[in-house]
Amino acid sequence: MRLLIVEDERRMAAALAKGLAAEGFAVDVTHNGTDGLHLATTGDYDLILLDIMLPGMNGYQVCAALRAAGEEAPVLMLTAKDGEYDEAEGLDTGADDYLSKPFSYVVLLARIRALLRRRTRGGAPVLRVGDLTLDPNTGTCRRGTQEVVLTTKELAVLEYLAVRAGEIVSKSDILQHVWDFAYDGDPNIVEVYISTLRRKIDAPFGRRSIITVRGAGYRLAADRG
Ligand code: CA
């Protein structure tokens, strides 16, 4: 899942980006409202962390402009102190949730995951595709009752395929949602991850759940064997 952080306190933005990247999110960072709006409307983000007091445009303006542009990615507003902003105003401009600084990283992560769950699967904590289950909160993956150990990045690729199970997902979609914009390596990295995932979640169980759709991408399907 790809996140955008719009936060002018650079140390805080960098710390958040580092922590969230370690959780397997692709994270882009910008330090002002104008760039934030531009990135959020041109990039394909799954969630936006938006500070309120920002140079350029403030968070309320960014959020209102995003919604006016039809951008539906959930927005989690961050603010300096409780009471320094009007919570109702934040929600009026189309924010989905808000968090007062200083916040606990654990709480932030829980809120992010809750917003992503609400958006991608109606709130269900676990993704199921046939007998494949994936719990992004705990980072666990099972085929039937057997646990499959995946790295953070493998899990992120599989989560993105699972969120869009049954659909054709292009390689560039996967790159967009799993790798951040600082990634300038070989786009064929996606193939490497797909083949590793097949070796872990399919081959040992005699399944073919990750289907290659030639020239288009991949589709994760329920294959009960
Ligand atoms: Ca700020």
Side-chain angles (χ1 to χ4, degrees):
M1 300 284 111
R2 184 165 181 170
L3 313 183
L4 176 65
I5 298 175
V6 190
E7 165 64 79
D8 60 325
E9 288 159 55
R10 286 170 189 256
R11 284 179 58 184
M12 164 136 184
L16 284 177
K18 193 174 169 202
L20 293 168
E23 297 289 331
F25 293 106
V27 186
D28 298 334
V29 177
T30 183
H31 305 296
N32 76 71
T34 322
D35 289 350
L37 176 61
H38 175 72
L39 283 170
T41 45
T42 54
D44 192 2
Y45 290 99
D46 299 294
L47 183 138
I48 299 157
L49 285 179
L50 184 58
D51 186 27
I52 290 179
M53 300 301 286
L54 287 166
M57 299 167 79
N58 72 38
Y60 295 134
Q61 294 167 323
V62 171
C63 192
L66 276 175
R67 294 307 185 226
E71 176 55 58
E72 290 175 347
V75 171
L76 175 51
M77 288 253 194
L78 305 175
T79 188
K81 277 206 265 355
D82 224 355
E84 201 179 71
Y85 71 108
D86 184 350
E87 187 175 291
E89 188 178 356
L91 296 171
D92 277 355
T93 54
D96 297 270
D97 200 0
Y98 47 85
L99 199 55
S100 304
K101 298 176 197 169
F103 46 78
S104 121
Y105 180 70
V106 175
V107 170
L108 173 72
L109 197 56
R111 299 281 191 92
I112 289 174
R113 292 205 191 280
L115 286 171
L116 289 172
R117 277 203 300 276
R118 202 199 290 167
R119 176 171 160 83
T120 58
R121 50 189 182 275
V126 175
L127 289 155
R128 286 177 208 283
V129 183
D131 67 347
L132 183 74
T133 53
L134 195 62
D135 184 346
N137 293 300
T138 56
T140 49
C141 171
R142 285 175 201 281
R143 174 64 86 184
T145 55
Q146 194 169 331
E147 182 162 356
V148 180
V149 178
L150 299 179
T151 66
T152 310
K153 213 67 170 174
E154 289 161 5
L155 202 72
V157 173
L158 187 59
E159 180 185 4
Y160 189 66
L161 287 171
V163 161
R164 296 185 51 188
E167 289 176 44
I168 298 171
V169 182
S170 71
K171 253 193 266 182
S172 72
D173 270 357
I174 298 172
L175 265 183
Q176 279 253 349
H177 286 266
V178 179
W179 278 269
D180 57 49
F181 65 15
Y183 180 75
D184 59 358
D186 188 346
N188 291 322
I189 183 118
V190 173
E191 287 170 29
V192 175
Y193 275 85
I194 294 289
S195 91
T196 308
L197 281 170
R198 282 176 171 148
R199 213 160 51 234
K200 291 188 172 184
I201 66 164
D202 278 350
F205 305 93
R207 311 297 174 87
R208 291 171 56 99
S209 67
I210 305 179
I211 297 151
T212 301
V213 184
R214 208 154 289 287
Y218 304 99
R219 188 173 68 227
L220 182 65
D223 180 356
R224 293 177 182 275

Short mmCIF file of all heavy atoms in Angstrom, two decimals, residues 124-153:
data_model
loop_
_atom_site.label_atom_id
_atom_site.label_comp_id
_atom_site.label_asym_id
_atom_site.label_seq_id
_atom_site.Cartn_x
_atom_site.Cartn_y
_atom_site.Cartn_z
N ALA A 124 -12.93 -5.71 7.24
CA ALA A 124 -12.45 -7.04 7.67
C ALA A 124 -10.94 -7.01 7.87
O ALA A 124 -10.21 -6.54 7.01
CB ALA A 124 -12.82 -8.10 6.64
N PRO A 125 -10.46 -7.51 9.02
CA PRO A 125 -9.03 -7.44 9.29
C PRO A 125 -8.20 -8.40 8.44
O PRO A 125 -7.04 -8.15 8.17
CB PRO A 125 -8.91 -7.80 10.77
CG PRO A 125 -10.17 -8.52 11.11
CD PRO A 125 -11.22 -8.03 10.17
N VAL A 126 -8.82 -9.50 8.00
CA VAL A 126 -8.04 -10.52 7.30
C VAL A 126 -8.50 -10.61 5.85
O VAL A 126 -9.69 -10.57 5.56
CB VAL A 126 -8.21 -11.89 8.00
CG1 VAL A 126 -7.52 -12.99 7.22
CG2 VAL A 126 -7.65 -11.82 9.42
N LEU A 127 -7.55 -10.70 4.94
CA LEU A 127 -7.87 -10.87 3.52
C LEU A 127 -7.91 -12.37 3.23
O LEU A 127 -7.02 -13.11 3.63
CB LEU A 127 -6.77 -10.24 2.66
CG LEU A 127 -6.72 -8.71 2.66
CD1 LEU A 127 -5.31 -8.23 2.31
CD2 LEU A 127 -7.71 -8.17 1.66
N ARG A 128 -8.95 -12.80 2.51
CA ARG A 128 -9.07 -14.22 2.15
C ARG A 128 -9.24 -14.36 0.65
O ARG A 128 -10.11 -13.73 0.06
CB ARG A 128 -10.31 -14.83 2.79
CG ARG A 128 -10.18 -15.07 4.25
CD ARG A 128 -11.50 -15.61 4.81
NE ARG A 128 -11.62 -15.23 6.20
CZ ARG A 128 -10.96 -15.83 7.19
NH1 ARG A 128 -10.20 -16.87 6.94
NH2 ARG A 128 -11.08 -15.40 8.42
N VAL A 129 -8.44 -15.21 0.06
CA VAL A 129 -8.60 -15.55 -1.35
C VAL A 129 -8.53 -17.07 -1.41
O VAL A 129 -7.45 -17.65 -1.29
CB VAL A 129 -7.50 -14.91 -2.22
CG1 VAL A 129 -7.75 -15.21 -3.69
CG2 VAL A 129 -7.44 -13.40 -2.00
N GLY A 130 -9.69 -17.71 -1.53
CA GLY A 130 -9.73 -19.17 -1.41
C GLY A 130 -9.28 -19.53 0.00
O GLY A 130 -9.74 -18.94 0.98
N ASP A 131 -8.33 -20.46 0.10
CA ASP A 131 -7.86 -20.83 1.44
C ASP A 131 -6.55 -20.11 1.79
O ASP A 131 -5.85 -20.49 2.72
CB ASP A 131 -7.71 -22.36 1.56
CG ASP A 131 -6.61 -22.91 0.68
OD1 ASP A 131 -6.11 -22.18 -0.20
OD2 ASP A 131 -6.23 -24.08 0.88
N LEU A 132 -6.28 -19.07 1.04
CA LEU A 132 -5.13 -18.23 1.37
C LEU A 132 -5.63 -17.10 2.26
O LEU A 132 -6.58 -16.40 1.90
CB LEU A 132 -4.53 -17.66 0.07
CG LEU A 132 -3.27 -16.82 0.21
CD1 LEU A 132 -2.05 -17.70 0.52
CD2 LEU A 132 -3.02 -16.03 -1.07
N THR A 133 -5.02 -16.94 3.42
CA THR A 133 -5.42 -15.82 4.28
C THR A 133 -4.20 -14.98 4.61
O THR A 133 -3.09 -15.48 4.74
CB THR A 133 -6.07 -16.29 5.61
OG1 THR A 133 -5.20 -17.21 6.23
CG2 THR A 133 -7.43 -16.92 5.38
N LEU A 134 -4.47 -13.68 4.73
CA LEU A 134 -3.40 -12.72 4.90
C LEU A 134 -3.86 -11.73 5.95
O LEU A 134 -4.93 -11.13 5.81
CB LEU A 134 -3.23 -12.03 3.55
CG LEU A 134 -2.00 -11.24 3.29
CD1 LEU A 134 -0.79 -12.16 3.36
CD2 LEU A 134 -2.09 -10.63 1.89
N ASP A 135 -3.07 -11.57 7.00
CA ASP A 135 -3.41 -10.59 8.02
C ASP A 135 -2.33 -9.53 8.07
O ASP A 135 -1.27 -9.74 8.66
CB ASP A 135 -3.55 -11.29 9.38
CG ASP A 135 -4.00 -10.31 10.47
OD1 ASP A 135 -3.94 -9.09 10.23
OD2 ASP A 135 -4.39 -10.78 11.55
N PRO A 136 -2.58 -8.37 7.44
CA PRO A 136 -1.55 -7.33 7.39
C PRO A 136 -1.18 -6.79 8.77
O PRO A 136 -0.08 -6.30 8.96
CB PRO A 136 -2.18 -6.23 6.53
CG PRO A 136 -3.28 -6.91 5.78
CD PRO A 136 -3.78 -7.99 6.69
N ASN A 137 -2.09 -6.90 9.74
CA ASN A 137 -1.78 -6.40 11.09
C ASN A 137 -0.68 -7.19 11.76
O ASN A 137 0.17 -6.64 12.44
CB ASN A 137 -3.01 -6.47 11.99
CG ASN A 137 -4.07 -5.51 11.53
OD1 ASN A 137 -3.84 -4.31 11.47
ND2 ASN A 137 -5.21 -6.05 11.17
N THR A 138 -0.75 -8.50 11.59
CA THR A 138 0.24 -9.34 12.26
C THR A 138 1.33 -9.79 11.28
O THR A 138 2.31 -10.39 11.68
CB THR A 138 -0.43 -10.60 12.84
OG1 THR A 138 -1.12 -11.26 11.77
CG2 THR A 138 -1.44 -10.23 13.90
N GLY A 139 1.12 -9.49 9.99
CA GLY A 139 2.10 -9.90 8.99
C GLY A 139 2.09 -11.40 8.76
O GLY A 139 3.10 -11.97 8.36
N THR A 140 0.96 -12.05 9.02
CA THR A 140 0.93 -13.50 8.82
C THR A 140 0.16 -13.89 7.57
O THR A 140 -0.81 -13.24 7.18
CB THR A 140 0.31 -14.25 10.02
OG1 THR A 140 -0.92 -13.61 10.35
CG2 THR A 140 1.23 -14.24 11.21
N CYS A 141 0.64 -14.97 6.97
CA CYS A 141 0.02 -15.50 5.76
C CYS A 141 -0.14 -17.00 5.98
O CYS A 141 0.76 -17.66 6.51
CB CYS A 141 0.95 -15.23 4.58
SG CYS A 141 0.44 -16.05 3.06
N ARG A 142 -1.30 -17.52 5.61
CA ARG A 142 -1.53 -18.97 5.72
C ARG A 142 -2.12 -19.52 4.44
O ARG A 142 -2.93 -18.88 3.80
CB ARG A 142 -2.53 -19.28 6.85
CG ARG A 142 -1.96 -19.16 8.21
CD ARG A 142 -3.05 -19.36 9.26
NE ARG A 142 -2.64 -18.78 10.51
CZ ARG A 142 -1.80 -19.36 11.35
NH1 ARG A 142 -1.34 -20.57 11.09
NH2 ARG A 142 -1.40 -18.77 12.46
N ARG A 143 -1.69 -20.74 4.11
CA ARG A 143 -2.36 -21.50 3.07
C ARG A 143 -3.07 -22.62 3.83
O ARG A 143 -2.41 -23.46 4.44
CB ARG A 143 -1.34 -22.04 2.07
CG ARG A 143 -1.90 -22.96 1.02
CD ARG A 143 -2.88 -22.30 0.09
NE ARG A 143 -2.27 -21.62 -1.06
CZ ARG A 143 -2.99 -20.91 -1.95
NH1 ARG A 143 -4.30 -20.81 -1.82
NH2 ARG A 143 -2.39 -20.31 -2.94
N GLY A 144 -4.38 -22.59 3.84
CA GLY A 144 -5.11 -23.51 4.71
C GLY A 144 -4.74 -23.20 6.15
O GLY A 144 -4.87 -22.05 6.58
N THR A 145 -4.26 -24.19 6.88
CA THR A 145 -3.88 -23.94 8.27
C THR A 145 -2.38 -23.75 8.40
O THR A 145 -1.88 -23.46 9.49
CB THR A 145 -4.29 -25.14 9.16
OG1 THR A 145 -3.71 -26.33 8.59
CG2 THR A 145 -5.80 -25.30 9.22
N GLN A 146 -1.68 -23.91 7.27
CA GLN A 146 -0.22 -23.85 7.36
C GLN A 146 0.31 -22.43 7.17
O GLN A 146 -0.03 -21.75 6.20
CB GLN A 146 0.39 -24.77 6.31
CG GLN A 146 1.87 -25.01 6.56
CD GLN A 146 2.40 -26.12 5.69
OE1 GLN A 146 1.67 -27.05 5.31
NE2 GLN A 146 3.67 -26.03 5.35
N GLU A 147 1.11 -21.98 8.11
CA GLU A 147 1.67 -20.65 8.01
C GLU A 147 2.79 -20.61 6.97
O GLU A 147 3.59 -21.53 6.87
CB GLU A 147 2.21 -20.18 9.37
CG GLU A 147 2.76 -18.77 9.28
CD GLU A 147 2.91 -18.06 10.61
OE1 GLU A 147 2.52 -18.63 11.65
OE2 GLU A 147 3.43 -16.94 10.59
N VAL A 148 2.78 -19.55 6.17
CA VAL A 148 3.83 -19.33 5.17
C VAL A 148 4.58 -18.08 5.60
O VAL A 148 3.97 -17.03 5.80
CB VAL A 148 3.20 -19.11 3.77
CG1 VAL A 148 4.29 -18.88 2.74
CG2 VAL A 148 2.32 -20.29 3.38
N VAL A 149 5.88 -18.21 5.76
CA VAL A 149 6.67 -17.06 6.22
C VAL A 149 7.06 -16.20 5.02
O VAL A 149 7.69 -16.67 4.07
CB VAL A 149 7.93 -17.53 6.99
CG1 VAL A 149 8.77 -16.33 7.41
CG2 VAL A 149 7.51 -18.36 8.20
N LEU A 150 6.64 -14.94 5.06
CA LEU A 150 6.94 -14.00 3.98
C LEU A 150 7.72 -12.82 4.54
O LEU A 150 7.52 -12.43 5.68
CB LEU A 150 5.64 -13.47 3.35
CG LEU A 150 4.68 -14.48 2.70
CD1 LEU A 150 3.45 -13.75 2.16
CD2 LEU A 150 5.37 -15.23 1.57
N THR A 151 8.57 -12.21 3.71
CA THR A 151 9.23 -10.98 4.12
C THR A 151 8.21 -9.84 4.03
O THR A 151 7.14 -9.99 3.43
CB THR A 151 10.42 -10.64 3.19
OG1 THR A 151 9.89 -10.35 1.88
CG2 THR A 151 11.41 -11.79 3.10
N THR A 152 8.58 -8.70 4.60
CA THR A 152 7.68 -7.54 4.60
C THR A 152 7.28 -7.15 3.18
O THR A 152 6.12 -6.86 2.89
CB THR A 152 8.39 -6.36 5.28
OG1 THR A 152 8.90 -6.82 6.51
CG2 THR A 152 7.45 -5.22 5.53
N LYS A 153 8.24 -7.15 2.26
CA LYS A 153 7.96 -6.73 0.89
C LYS A 153 7.13 -7.78 0.15
O LYS A 153 6.24 -7.43 -0.62
CB LYS A 153 9.30 -6.50 0.17
CG LYS A 153 9.27 -5.39 -0.85
CD LYS A 153 9.08 -4.05 -0.20
CE LYS A 153 9.30 -2.90 -1.17
NZ LYS A 153 8.96 -1.61 -0.54
#
